[in-house]
Amino acid sequence: MLKHLVRWRLGSQLLKGSATPVRYASESTSGGNLLTGIEETPKKIVNPFSQPSPALSNVAISETKEDREKRLKVLQLEADIAHQEGRRVPALDFFQDHHWEHVLSLPTKSARIKYFGYLWQIEMRKESEQRKKAQRAEDTERRKEEMRKEREENTHIIYGLGHTSMFLRIYDTTMNHFQNNRLTRAMQFAPKIVLDCSYDEHMNNREASYAAKQLMLCFAENRLNDEPFDLHYCNAQMESTCMKGLQRYIPTMLNPEFPMNLHSKCFTELFPKENLVYLTPHCREDLVTYNPDDIYVVGAMVDTMNNEPLSLAKAKRLGLRMAKLPLDRYLQWGSGSGKSLTLNQMINIMLDLKKTGNWETALKHVPRRKVIENEFQQRREKSHWGTGTKARKLNIRIDHLLDFEEDRRQATSFATPQKVRQRREGMEFQLDTWATGKQKKKQRQN
Amino acid sequence: MYNLRLLRKVLPGGCHSHQRCMASQHKRRPQPGGLPPDRLEQLRSDLFERHQDLSGAEWTEVRQSLVDSYKHINGHNVDAVILGVCSGPHQLSLAKNYVEFLRSQGSAPNAATLGRLLRVYNAAYHERPLNSTEQAEILEICRTLQAEHETLDANSCEHVIHGLVATNDDWQSALPLLEMMKVTSAPTVAAYSALAEKSFNVESPEQELAWRLLEEMAAARKPPKCEVYLALLNRLASESDKLPAQLKRLMQFLERHEILVSQRVAERLQELAQQVPQLLEVSSTSLGPLGKCQACQKHLQPVAITDEQFRQLSECFLERVLIRRDVFQRSTPEEVARFKKYVEKTAPYDCVIDGLNVAYSTGTKKSPQQLAKLVATVVRHFRDQDKRVLVLGREHMRNWSKQAMHYVQSNASLFLTNNLSHDDPFLLYASMRSGQDTDFFSRDLMRSHAFHLGPELKPIFRRWQQQHQFSLVTQTQTGRIIVKEPVRHRLSAHEVAGTWHVPYCEAYTQHPTESFEVPANWLCLKLKKQTPAKVKTKT
């Protein structure tokens, strides 16, 4: 049984690509290049088989192909036996070709065990979803039956969503067109931000896929904003894992009419050096004010495993100005998960900084779990008269007024759109104590 | 083999228990096919109360109950789980009975089940020697496993090795299996140790194979298990003519790879000495000040490295540690050049001080005046001994108290790097450049630098570091500083004028951490010359 499976998989394995299981080897393109796979030079720098003459590389590649076959068989046996022992390994028919490609590229047994554990989780999740789906299908059937019965009994028009209603449906594509229009205007007039995608060889596969997702979120959240930036993705190599992941998220990325700037050149060739400022957490100078003439560069990397100061090294080598966000000055950092920010959080911070010029509002995009919540307390104590007993009794809220000091139009005492992240303390309206002088013996909320 | 390990903890006595307590133990999630401990207890007491065999119906019932009660135990893995439960040395008959039952049902036991059965055989072998039928069965199973697949995976190879080691004659065929393991992963400590132990027990006089395996293990940074050493010592107890040569070989092995044996081995060595007092004398000892053995009153060997090794170290150092792949990550090319020029000009020194490390050693929240004062105090300490010092720091130290920095500048050489650069590699480079006599002053353990030097240079670096590193312990109320001098004697097994001094640790660990402390327990071992006369007098 196992042997048949193995032979079937090997057929497709043989025709596919890369010669050596190098750690950062890119996934070979499937489909079109089945027959030319052998001649195709692998694109990663580290591959030793790409430089020499074709004759030598042919011999070398065919030899490692046999070894590769052998290793693949043994690894499949390993997975099978581990599954029989009841470890965290999915059944053998769950594995697909790209799974085996990745397994072959892992260096040690413990790395394989972790990867198998990850695949096992996916398998378990899929099974439980199938069970739940079956359950839900039953429930839906029942509900439909009821609705059908109700509709037959009722001779009038039925009002509501899905029946007759006055609301027009707004499709996703309409929203997308509206936002793309805003983006094209931004490309003409707005300040620029560069996302430097040259860090692929420093990330492993998982980090590269996380980076791809964050790049997609950058684009999306930039587009959503009222005044977007002109985003440029520089040093973007299309064959890298990160960019391929991004293409999976945004399939129309390479279309000429899509408002996304992708460059394979470096940003120093596109923009003059005096205007560039590299944002890196490893330098000493804080970014104090936002300058719209400067072009800020953010390194698009996920560096959970790597602690080397790569962005610092790059900025030093290119001789650019450097800055870091003034996180220590405005936030009290808690013990949770370190000072790293994701790319979309960075873009949000820069967008708010551009709009308001105020670091406090901009840094609201740092996740609250990383920050100690005392800042709310600090503000309370500072502006005591606005939050004291009298105000509470009269049910007037003025905390929000202190936020929008420059933008008076947005601030009213009445209906303010509540931000999701604001805590609502003391908002309960007590009719019997409203505007009375009596002091109820309640605990002061501290 | 999580089941087995858990089992050995649960089973009261009866089998050799060496717990492997790894630091990552809290991170290891329980295997889904493994049973929770209370259920294990219950199952074990159910099954093992009757030491004889269960009937077919009872086995079916046990299987069914396991499959029903646990989400992750299904028809595929219940066999291996059951065999994992019956894995103690006394449960061999039970395990065999289960496999019989499976065969009688018509379904052949899968590879995992057979592998675990081999483990049970091995456990039984450690209790009592196996008879010939059992050995034949083992061979049969091994043959079945190897026939199915041309190359076995690492786990199965380990099982088969353990099975073959339990037989008398066929253990040699376990050797190619070790090679087979290398295809997919580095062979485990257990596999190496099982083979080495068997060959120490059984092999012909020279025991080359065993020593070769030990060398391989040590080269792969895997310390051999206690059983291997115990097997060697037991063998030597019976064949005492080989004793001096083999024991010396063992000591040299420990010295070369800087391995610490466990307390069990140390105790066995002492017992061995009592058995053959005319050849060997062992006493447990501790070290006095300046590395003097309390038992034989000899001083231990100094830890100095040879000139050749020192030259090699100093040449490769800057390249490997500071420049590495990208010099901009730690410094800039101009700064490296400037530092080299400065060192050429002002070398040689007696001591190189890591200014920032010293300044912050009493606490990070001190004011700049206190920090600067601490640096100045350390400089004065060396000045009073008339020594030339170099102090390394960063540019922002210029803004510290002018008076203290002025003192430092006038009494020592001062080099300040960029605020963004790492200053440790500069410190080490300056010490090495000045020659073998220069010490350095820092509390840093230099672990990352040792790692980046690579596995050949790392032990040399560590010995050099041990010999030359001063560190600040604390500053007293009166302003005097207490300095920890470097330990100038060796901390691994070595020979001093015919007497071996061997340190040992409490228990065996698979990943021994780097220790910067002097080992507390030592053995003082003397190999006596064999007297040619046949009459042996007791002393």
Side-chain angles (χ1 to χ4, degrees):
Chain A
M1 162 201 59
L2 173 62
K3 291 179 191 153
H4 294 314
L5 280 173
V6 161
R7 244 179 250 133
W8 173 70
R9 286 192 201 293
L10 277 184
S12 54
Q13 290 291 330
L14 268 174
L15 297 175
K16 274 197 203 158
S18 52
T20 37
V22 179
R23 185 167 181 224
Y24 304 114
S26 57
E27 314 275 316
S28 53
T29 56
S30 60
N33 316 3
L34 284 187
L35 292 175
T36 60
I38 302 178
E39 308 304 314
E40 177 185 75
T41 48
K43 277 95 181 167
K44 276 298 160 200
I45 320 166
V46 205
N47 195 317
F49 294 107
S50 61
Q51 283 99 358
S53 59
L56 182 60
S57 66
N58 264 338
V59 168
I61 287 178
S62 61
E63 196 160 17
T64 51
K65 268 220 180 341
E66 284 176 10
D67 281 345
R68 195 181 138 90
E69 263 181 56
K70 218 171 115 177
R71 264 191 82 214
L72 183 65
K73 262 203 275 185
V74 183
L75 292 179
Q76 286 173 342
L77 178 63
E78 183 183 74
D80 194 30
I81 291 197
H83 178 68
Q84 287 169 3
E85 281 188 343
R87 293 173 191 264
R88 283 173 182 257
V89 178
L92 213 55
D93 45 5
F94 177 82
F95 284 89
Q96 288 164 11
D97 289 337
H98 66 271
H99 292 149
W100 289 120
E101 289 276 346
H102 187 241
V103 168
L104 275 170
S105 71
L106 293 173
T108 58
K109 191 162 105 164
S110 53
R112 286 200 292 268
I113 291 177
K114 286 188 199 159
Y115 184 63
F116 288 149
Y118 166 66
L119 291 179
W120 177 83
Q121 266 186 339
I122 298 180
E123 189 196 23
M124 291 290 120
R125 211 181 300 154
K126 207 157 98 170
E127 279 177 18
S128 98
E129 265 186 37
Q130 277 170 350
R131 262 179 278 134
K132 285 193 195 154
K133 199 166 166 186
Q135 180 70 27
R136 260 182 282 143
E138 276 181 38
D139 291 341
T140 323
E141 265 309 313
R142 224 180 315 126
R143 237 179 336 113
K144 274 200 190 150
E145 263 310 311
E146 288 177 13
M147 223 166 62
R148 212 170 295 143
K149 231 189 315 167
E150 189 191 322
R151 206 185 272 176
E152 284 170 3
E153 293 166 10
N154 194 347
T155 48
H156 259 299
I157 307 175
I158 306 177
Y159 294 104
L161 287 175
H163 307 283
T164 313
S165 112
M166 70 178 189
F167 298 110
L168 274 182
R169 180 170 175 182
I170 303 181
Y171 292 91
D172 279 339
T173 46
T174 322
M175 289 195 265
N176 284 346
H177 285 316
F178 178 73
Q179 286 163 356
N180 284 350
N181 191 19
R182 213 165 29 193
L183 258 188
T184 46
R185 207 180 44 198
M187 278 161 67
Q188 295 168 295
F189 303 116
K192 306 185 199 303
I193 282 204
V194 171
L195 286 165
D196 178 10
C197 311
S198 63
Y199 296 98
D200 270 315
E201 56 270 8
H202 303 283
M203 298 195 281
N204 58 23
N205 270 341
R206 224 174 52 163
E207 292 175 338
S209 56
Y210 290 166
K213 181 164 190 181
Q214 286 177 21
L215 287 175
M216 181 271 289
L217 286 175
C218 279
F219 178 74
E221 298 194 5
N222 184 41
R223 192 166 76 159
L224 272 180
N225 197 295
D226 288 334
E227 297 168 18
F229 278 118
D230 179 20
L231 271 185
H232 289 266
Y233 293 75
C234 294
N235 286 321
Q237 313 297 329
M238 278 304 131
E239 310 81 23
S240 59
T241 336
C242 177
M243 280 298 139
K244 282 211 187 127
L246 188 59
Q247 192 146 20
R248 270 205 299 268
Y249 281 114
I250 313 177
T252 53
M253 185 167 78
L254 296 170
N255 291 359
E257 68 271 7
F258 193 75
M260 189 174 188
N261 304 315
L262 282 165
H263 310 278
S264 55
K265 290 197 285 189
C266 182
F267 46 92
T268 41
E269 298 171 38
L270 297 166
F271 307 112
K273 261 197 193 178
E274 315 79 66
N275 293 346
L276 292 169
V277 177
Y278 212 113
L279 295 177
T280 165
H282 305 285
C283 70
R284 297 285 160 136
E285 298 100 31
D286 278 347
L287 183 63
V288 182
T289 50
Y290 172 76
N291 182 1
D293 290 325
D294 279 340
I295 302 175
Y296 292 97
V297 186
V298 180
M301 66 167 139
V302 175
D303 57 352
T304 32
M305 300 299 297
N306 212 340
N307 351 38
E308 296 167 353
L310 295 166
S311 46
L312 178 73
K314 181 155 183 181
K316 269 206 253 181
R317 201 181 314 127
L318 296 172
L320 305 172
R321 280 182 287 154
M322 295 181 272
K324 69 174 171 143
L325 298 182
L327 300 172
D328 286 325
R329 215 186 303 164
Y330 293 98
L331 295 175
Q332 230 181 333
W333 221 264
S335 57
S337 84
K339 287 193 191 168
S340 49
L341 295 175
T342 67
L343 294 173
N344 53 319
Q345 286 164 11
M346 277 299 292
I347 295 289
N348 278 330
I349 290 175
M350 297 308 290
L351 280 166
D352 270 352
L353 190 62
K354 172 166 71 107
K355 181 171 185 179
T356 59
N358 178 5
W359 279 106
E360 303 271 345
T361 40
L363 289 177
K364 286 216 163 83
H365 289 282
V366 175
R368 294 296 101 179
R369 65 175 186 279
K370 297 198 189 209
V371 168
I372 303 182
E373 283 281 287
N374 281 333
E375 55 162 10
F376 193 89
Q377 287 309 120
Q378 287 168 14
R379 237 169 12 99
R380 280 231 144 185
E381 271 125 45
K382 257 191 276 184
S383 46
H384 178 71
W385 61 275
T387 58
T389 7
K390 200 94 175 166
R392 232 203 317 256
K393 281 199 196 127
L394 294 173
N395 209 9
I396 288 182
R397 307 282 155 227
I398 67 166
D399 316 76
H400 58 278
L401 295 182
L402 303 171
D403 283 336
F404 295 101
E405 272 162 14
E406 287 119 37
D407 206 350
R408 283 290 159 205
R409 258 175 298 159
Q410 278 203 20
T412 56
S413 312
F414 307 105
T416 327
Q418 287 290 346
K419 296 240 173 50
V420 178
R421 288 209 173 103
Q422 251 181 17
R423 287 232 304 264
R424 309 171 62 119
E425 279 189 6
M427 294 293 272
E428 313 88 40
F429 174 64
Q430 307 277 349
L431 181 58
D432 34 357
T433 53
W434 185 71
T436 58
K438 283 198 217 135
Q439 287 205 6
K440 279 261 175 169
K441 290 198 183 68
K442 264 196 224 155
Q443 273 182 348
R444 287 204 62 158
Q445 294 179 13
N446 265 346
Chain B
M1 301 301 292
Y2 189 70
N3 273 335
L4 283 188
R5 269 182 246 126
L6 189 59
L7 220 38
R8 294 227 171 92
K9 277 186 211 159
V10 162
L11 177 61
C15 78
H16 44 267
S17 54
H18 29 91
Q19 339 280 10
R20 301 198 323 181
C21 295
M22 290 175 272
S24 60
Q25 197 74 27
H26 68 281
K27 273 198 262 178
R28 311 184 96 217
R29 300 129 101 202
Q31 296 294 347
L35 303 173
D38 50 347
R39 180 72 173 101
L40 255 184
E41 253 313 332
Q42 189 194 5
L43 198 58
R44 290 185 59 75
S45 57
D46 279 345
L47 287 182
F48 307 137
E49 240 133 58
R50 339 116 159 274
H51 272 268
Q52 73 275 43
D53 320 327
L54 299 179
S55 73
E58 289 169 322
W59 278 125
T60 327
E61 187 201 317
V62 168
R63 279 191 82 173
Q64 208 48 43
S65 76
L66 278 180
V67 171
D68 289 334
S69 24
Y70 293 99
K71 187 163 69 155
H72 295 300
I73 302 187
N74 48 36
H76 294 296
N77 50 24
V78 65
D79 304 332
V81 169
I82 291 182
L83 268 198
V85 172
C86 330
S87 63
H90 303 290
Q91 280 93 48
L92 182 56
S93 55
L94 204 57
K96 283 206 289 193
N97 180 243
Y98 182 66
V99 176
E100 294 284 322
F101 158 73
L102 281 182
R103 288 212 178 100
S104 67
Q105 293 277 316
S107 58
N110 56 27
T113 325
L114 290 177
R116 287 198 169 178
L117 184 58
L118 287 177
R119 287 278 189 167
V120 184
Y121 273 115
N122 187 303
Y125 163 74
H126 281 290
E127 290 284 307
R128 54 171 177 88
L130 300 179
N131 58 40
S132 48
T133 40
E134 289 170 333
Q135 294 189 26
E137 287 165 7
I138 293 181
L139 287 176
E140 185 56 47
I141 298 178
C142 294
R143 227 166 273 141
T144 333
L145 277 177
Q146 284 182 286
E148 277 179 30
H149 309 279
E150 181 201 323
T151 322
L152 284 180
D153 66 299
N155 266 334
S156 310
C157 281
E158 197 180 322
H159 293 322
V160 175
I161 289 180
H162 276 90
L164 287 178
V165 151
T167 63
N168 283 340
D169 309 315
D170 292 282
W171 66 274
Q172 296 264 11
S173 47
L175 280 173
L177 280 171
L178 207 60
E179 299 301 314
M180 214 190 283
M181 270 179 99
K182 292 186 185 164
V183 174
T184 42
S185 87
T188 57
V189 175
Y192 271 128
S193 299
L195 268 178
E197 186 189 344
K198 182 71 176 180
S199 71
F200 269 135
N201 274 329
V202 164
E203 205 188 354
S204 64
E206 297 316 310
Q207 296 172 325
E208 282 309 312
L209 172 65
W211 287 111
R212 186 170 65 83
L213 286 174
L214 279 182
E215 289 292 326
E216 255 185 60
M217 280 180 90
R221 317 300 312 155
K222 290 183 200 275
K225 287 189 168 177
C226 312
E227 282 76 21
V228 179
Y229 301 122
L230 291 176
L232 171 62
L233 293 177
N234 288 336
R235 183 80 184 279
L236 288 180
S238 48
E239 294 180 9
S240 39
D241 48 332
K242 306 282 176 7
L243 195 141
Q246 292 286 28
L247 210 53
K248 189 151 185 205
R249 199 166 172 184
L250 176 66
M251 297 294 132
Q252 282 167 346
F253 172 75
L254 293 178
E255 173 184 6
R256 217 173 329 133
H257 297 284
E258 300 189 0
I259 296 180
L260 262 62
V261 286
S262 71
Q263 198 167 2
R264 274 172 80 191
V265 178
E267 282 166 7
R268 185 72 187 85
L269 265 174
Q270 287 178 311
E271 278 170 32
L272 186 63
Q274 279 160 3
Q275 282 175 315
V276 278
Q278 69 276 21
L279 290 174
L280 181 64
E281 189 184 307
V282 171
S283 54
S284 157
T285 174
S286 61
L287 291 184
L290 292 183
K292 193 153 134 165
C293 170
Q294 306 292 59
C296 62
Q297 304 301 327
K298 290 206 187 102
H299 283 267
L300 294 186
Q301 211 180 51
V303 74
I305 54 177
T306 65
D307 287 333
E308 173 58 34
Q309 287 173 321
F310 182 75
R311 193 189 56 81
Q312 210 182 359
L313 183 63
S314 45
E315 267 171 29
C316 298
F317 185 77
L318 209 56
E319 172 66 38
R320 295 222 189 157
V321 175
L322 186 62
I323 298 180
R324 299 194 59 223
R325 273 176 293 173
D326 184 5
V327 67
F328 283 99
Q329 282 183 12
R330 300 192 172 207
S331 174
T332 56
E334 298 89 31
E335 197 172 51
V336 177
R338 183 168 69 99
F339 182 67
K340 277 192 180 164
K341 221 167 48 163
Y342 186 82
V343 170
E344 296 299 322
K345 223 173 33 166
T346 49
Y349 314 103
D350 290 309
C351 189
V352 185
I353 300 179
D354 185 354
L356 279 175
N357 191 289
V358 163
Y360 284 117
S361 43
T362 49
T364 34
K365 308 270 193 205
K366 298 276 167 71
S367 68
Q369 287 92 338
Q370 285 174 306
L371 301 171
K373 205 146 178 306
L374 198 48
V375 180
T377 319
V378 174
V379 171
R380 187 178 317 142
H381 170 88
F382 283 102
R383 192 82 184 90
D384 293 340
Q385 300 170 15
D386 270 328
K387 295 204 174 157
R388 286 188 58 151
V389 272
L390 168 70
V391 177
L392 284 171
R394 288 188 179 170
E395 278 298 317
H396 66 83
M397 286 165 75
R398 281 196 208 277
N399 306 333
W400 288 357
S401 121
K402 290 266 188 300
Q403 185 201 20
M405 297 316 286
H406 187 70
Y407 178 83
V408 170
Q409 220 157 0
S410 43
N411 287 317
S413 318
L414 181 65
F415 185 84
L416 299 175
T417 73
N418 212 338
N419 279 336
L420 295 170
S421 310
H422 289 217
D423 49 353
D424 282 343
F426 288 124
L427 167 86
L428 295 171
Y429 172 72
S431 316
M432 284 183 203
R433 178 70 189 66
S434 301
Q436 283 244 37
D437 297 323
T438 314
D439 299 322
F440 65 98
F441 200 103
S442 171
R443 291 218 302 200
D444 196 334
L445 297 174
M446 312 284 177
R447 278 181 283 224
S448 63
H449 308 306
F451 174 72
H452 287 130
L453 277 173
E456 318 89 33
L457 285 179
K458 184 172 173 184
I460 303 177
F461 173 73
R462 282 285 178 214
R463 287 177 63 169
W464 175 82
Q465 181 190 3
Q466 185 200 324
Q467 195 188 12
H468 291 288
Q469 182 168 18
F470 281 84
S471 65
L472 181 68
V473 176
T474 182
Q475 185 180 32
T476 61
Q477 297 281 9
T478 57
R480 284 187 53 227
I481 51 172
I482 305 180
V483 166
K484 176 170 170 246
E485 304 238 336
V487 177
R488 306 262 188 199
H489 62 84
R490 291 180 64 177
L491 299 179
S492 55
H494 63 278
E495 186 176 9
V496 176
T499 319
W500 282 90
H501 290 94
V502 180
Y504 61 92
C505 58
E506 299 276 310
Y508 170 79
T509 46
Q510 209 187 13
H511 301 283
T513 50
E514 293 226 30
S515 162
F516 292 88
E517 304 293 323
V518 181
N521 316 304
W522 290 75
L523 280 183
C524 186
L525 213 147
K526 214 181 318 220
L527 282 167
K528 299 211 182 109
K529 292 221 190 359
Q530 262 185 310
T531 49
K534 296 174 199 85
V535 177
K536 296 182 179 63
T537 52
K538 282 231 163 94
T539 43

